Amino acid sequence: MIRTRFAPSPTGFLHVGGARTALFNWLFARGHGGEFVLRIEDTDQVRSTAESAAGILSDLQWLGLDWDRGPVPGQEKNEYFQSTRLDIYNGFIDALAKSGHVYEAWETPAQLAAMRSQAEREKRPFRYRRQMPGRAPKGSTPCVLRFEMPHEEISFHDLILGPIQVGAEEHDDIVIRKSDGFPTYHFAVVVDDHLMEISHVLRAQEHLMNTPKHLALYRALGWKPPEHAHMPLVFNMDNTKMSKRDKSKAARHAAQLLMKNKPEVTLETLAAMAKVEPEALGKFLHQKQDNSAVTTAVAQALHLALPEIEVQDFRRSGYLHDALLNFIALIGWAPGENREILTRHELLDLFSLEGIGKTNGRFDRKKLLWMNGEYIRRASLKDLAQHMQAFNAVTDYPIKSADPAMLDKLLTMYQERMGTLGEMAENSRFFFSAPPLDPKAVDKFVRIASGPQHLQEIISLLAAANPWNAEGISPAMESIITMGEKRGSAAQILRVAVSGGAVSPPLLETLLLLGRDQTLDRLKRLEKEVAGVSGS
Ligand code: GLU
């Protein structure tokens, strides 16, 4: 039976690269009638957090990647959390120690760093081996346990990359138990993949060089290893690795650009704008110290949309889970025949390891936006309303307060014209409260010779419209559209009045949804504004 697993370390939120790993494991298992296991690898006591584990579960659920065995959301840690399995790991470490594969090592982190830099100075790779000279004697610091790697080449067949060989001189005696008593990733992953009867390990190529270490452990423990397949990494379009550092980079770049173009913006003023300590901001800007709190604060202060990297970023931007899933399936995998839009069923049918390439995949944001728009346009209103509900649960736009009837009308209006739900949530703000007036639009369309007079006429026409429904306001709308010399130019005045700017959904629908009172109030607000009296 095919059984795959996704084994994230809960040291942050779910990255799209991780989501892609989860998806391929899920597709491979489900497509073969197998099982998909979720295991939380929380052996790093310092960096693992319960919040991150819960976030990963929630993102996987949102993507619809369900697991047959694993943590139960909302419940205590179970046996699919490595931190609950120390006794199991220790039992196998004892067995390995008995067979002579394990030894104690006493170097402090500082000593190890010194050994590494000496190797660097001598231009040789640093490999920790049991027989090497200069190992630290038994000391008083807690020791680690290392596994003695074999002194021979290790080779295996990767299901994506083909034959892989690693020479004896490449091996390093890996730590299998840290000084805090926890196993390392290398050890726990082997024990768990064996005990959980994982048949195929599909993971990112960054783990390729870990596999020989794991195979040596399987051999020493007398176990048959699973099959391995290493998937290409997810890169940005500019060939850099897609990482959450991209967010800090974007915020840093925007801040530096602003300070360059506007010398009056100093470190102190920017710190005050972003409400962060100048010292922290200085470190962030000048020493390139990544700091997610500073990144977010700077981005907010500068109204900068940070690049989405983690699944929750895409959720908050209003991507539909099926669109994101479809898109990430195509990073490094191709179904053939240039097919792009694929349902979950089609993905399950078509997915195969043979379709996975060897070279890095590209994350093309433009294509994702296009694909999301396609999904939005193909969705039923009922489905869109559900997506909107899920979106509202993780965001805080005024659209949250729309009742089902109003939401329905808004979705009908925006379905054809939005790329993401976030775009609709942003652009529909004016339906919920009077928007700020865009001074450029006011100057262009209203503060012109015929502007004030046309505005007057628009007010009288709409004030007289009765009843306030499509039939009742159509004659007024027709007169407004034909008003003036150029068809539609006066209608822009009405648009600015109600939406604040020069872009909105079709006016008739907009006015119907806003209602008579709001429409007239906003027209009068604009009238005051152009007459020089400050608006509301
Ligand atoms: N916990 C490891 C990670 O998040 C899992 C790697 C693997 O799949 O073996 O990178």
Side-chain angles (χ1 to χ4, degrees):
M1 137 117 119
I2 290 202
R3 189 181 283 154
T4 63
R5 66 7 175 227
F6 177 51
S9 305
T11 54
F13 296 109
L14 183 64
H15 180 281
V16 278
R20 205 264 320 246
T21 300
L23 171 63
F24 284 8
N25 277 284
W26 183 88
L27 287 170
F28 189 66
R30 291 269 185 273
H32 288 93
E35 282 188 353
F36 176 58
V37 175
L38 176 61
R39 181 174 72 227
I40 302 294
E41 302 208 319
D42 55 348
T43 53
D44 185 334
Q45 286 195 84
V46 181
R47 294 174 59 225
S48 300
T49 67
E51 187 201 4
S52 156
I56 292 171
L57 300 192
S58 152
D59 286 343
L60 289 172
Q61 284 182 307
W62 177 72
L63 286 167
L65 300 178
D66 54 344
W67 51 96
D68 301 294
R69 295 155 194 256
V72 183
Q75 287 192 17
E76 291 289 291
K77 286 183 182 178
N78 64 8
E79 69 273 29
Y80 290 92
F81 284 76
Q82 288 187 326
S83 59
T84 67
R85 301 167 64 79
L86 295 200
D87 290 347
I88 300 176
Y89 308 126
N90 281 330
F92 289 111
I93 288 181
D94 289 347
L96 272 188
K98 278 208 187 90
S99 56
H101 288 92
V102 174
Y103 63 95
E104 294 178 341
W106 295 91
E107 283 77 14
T108 59
Q111 283 171 317
L112 278 175
M115 287 158 96
R116 243 179 234 117
S117 32
Q118 175 157 3
E120 228 168 77
R121 278 196 301 278
E122 293 168 9
K123 298 204 167 30
R124 59 179 169 84
F126 175 64
R127 310 263 187 255
Y128 193 105
R129 305 286 344 224
R130 192 172 195 166
Q131 284 80 13
M132 70 182 192
R135 287 188 44 218
K138 190 172 167 64
S140 53
T141 49
C143 70
V144 301
L145 294 184
R146 287 188 182 259
F147 169 71
E148 185 172 2
M149 287 285 287
H151 296 263
E152 60 191 64
E153 179 184 285
I154 297 180
S155 59
F156 68 100
H157 185 83
D158 186 288
L159 295 178
I160 295 170
L161 301 172
I164 305 286
Q165 282 112 15
V166 179
E169 69 291 351
E170 297 285 316
H171 305 326
D172 192 70
D173 290 349
I174 47 173
V175 174
I176 55 171
R177 189 165 67 200
K178 295 176 275 186
S179 55
D180 64 1
F182 273 62
T184 56
Y185 153 68
H186 296 304
F187 193 71
V189 80
V190 166
V191 170
D192 287 344
D193 283 343
H194 172 72
L195 295 182
M196 296 177 186
E197 296 179 30
I198 301 303
S199 64
H200 290 73
V201 168
L202 271 58
R203 60 185 167 202
Q205 264 175 32
E206 61 203 353
H207 289 291
L208 182 65
M209 283 304 126
N210 291 333
T211 301
K213 304 180 190 355
H214 301 173
L215 292 174
L217 281 168
Y218 279 102
R219 182 146 36 121
L221 287 159
W223 296 337
K224 180 176 175 287
E227 298 284 350
H228 285 88
H230 292 91
M231 301 177 294
L233 301 179
V234 181
F235 271 54
N236 291 311
M237 295 308 277
D238 65 2
N239 252 340
T240 54
K241 194 172 164 224
M242 196 171 165
S243 98
K244 61 180 175 197
R245 281 198 207 108
D246 296 347
K247 292 191 210 171
S248 322
K249 258 199 247 164
R252 189 176 295 123
H253 179 74
Q256 284 166 343
L257 201 68
L258 177 73
M259 289 164 85
K260 191 174 146 214
N261 292 342
K262 291 196 178 161
E264 68 274 19
V265 179
T266 61
L267 185 79
E268 280 69 29
T269 47
L270 184 60
M273 276 162 76
K275 302 194 188 73
V276 294
E277 289 299 321
E279 198 191 324
L281 183 63
K283 283 187 181 153
F284 173 77
L285 289 180
H286 306 311
Q287 291 160 31
K288 302 208 169 150
Q289 256 186 29
D290 290 342
N291 174 331
S292 59
V294 175
T295 301
T296 314
V298 168
Q300 267 171 8
L302 304 186
H303 302 289
L304 171 73
L306 292 173
E308 298 97 348
I309 304 289
E310 283 135 347
V311 169
Q312 57 164 325
D313 301 332
F314 292 95
R315 271 173 96 168
R316 292 201 186 116
S317 289
Y319 286 90
L320 306 194
H321 57 81
D322 277 336
L324 185 62
L325 208 69
N326 185 163
F327 176 77
I328 59 179
L330 301 178
I331 306 177
W333 173 72
E337 297 169 18
N338 289 331
R339 295 186 62 179
E340 294 207 298
I341 304 267
L342 298 153
T343 65
R344 201 172 279 252
H345 287 293
E346 288 171 322
L347 287 175
L348 279 166
D349 265 358
L350 295 169
F351 183 77
S352 73
L353 296 184
E354 290 76 46
I356 299 182
K358 295 184 187 181
T359 49
N360 300 325
R362 293 286 174 77
F363 198 95
D364 183 347
R365 290 175 186 277
K366 279 196 197 125
K367 182 164 157 188
L368 171 60
L369 191 60
W370 163 79
M371 195 173 269
N372 202 55
E374 288 296 303
Y375 270 82
I376 287 175
R377 279 175 268 301
R378 291 172 191 207
S380 66
L381 277 187
K382 194 167 149 251
D383 285 347
L384 276 184
Q386 265 173 14
H387 287 301
M388 204 65 217
Q389 228 174 27
F391 170 81
N392 284 336
V394 292
T395 53
D396 203 14
Y397 287 94
I399 200 167
K400 222 173 178 165
S401 65
D403 61 28
M406 171 148 187
L407 182 60
D408 215 54
K409 286 183 187 142
L410 284 172
L411 287 169
T412 311
M413 237 185 245
Y414 281 96
Q415 184 169 22
E416 289 300 319
R417 54 181 58 236
M418 64 169 143
T420 61
L421 301 179
E423 201 182 306
M424 159 166 170
E426 186 58 48
N427 293 344
S428 66
R429 279 180 189 276
F430 75 89
F431 282 104
F432 300 89
S433 59
L437 292 166
D438 169 9
K440 279 199 196 119
V442 174
D443 284 350
K444 179 162 178 206
F445 299 107
V446 198
R447 280 192 226 276
I448 51 174
S450 57
Q453 192 207 328
H454 285 158
L455 179 55
Q456 287 299 325
E457 287 171 37
I458 293 170
I459 295 176
S460 344
L461 280 164
L462 286 172
N466 198 18
W468 196 264
N469 59 20
E471 261 178 35
I473 62 174
S474 284
M477 289 304 294
E478 194 44 43
S479 315
I480 293 168
I481 285 167
T482 47
M483 196 179 279
E485 277 161 29
K486 208 165 133 231
R487 191 178 162 83
S489 61
Q492 281 302 80
I493 299 176
L494 174 55
R495 199 181 293 278
V496 172
V498 294
S499 75
V503 188
S504 81
L507 273 172
L508 185 79
E509 282 97 320
T510 301
L511 298 196
L512 288 179
L513 194 52
L514 272 178
R516 179 201 295 270
D517 293 349
Q518 270 300 318
T519 304
L520 293 175
D521 280 357
R522 291 184 191 186
L523 281 162
K524 285 179 191 146
R525 179 177 73 142
L526 181 62
E527 192 184 19
K528 274 193 201 154
E529 172 78 24
V530 288
V533 185
S534 81
S536 63

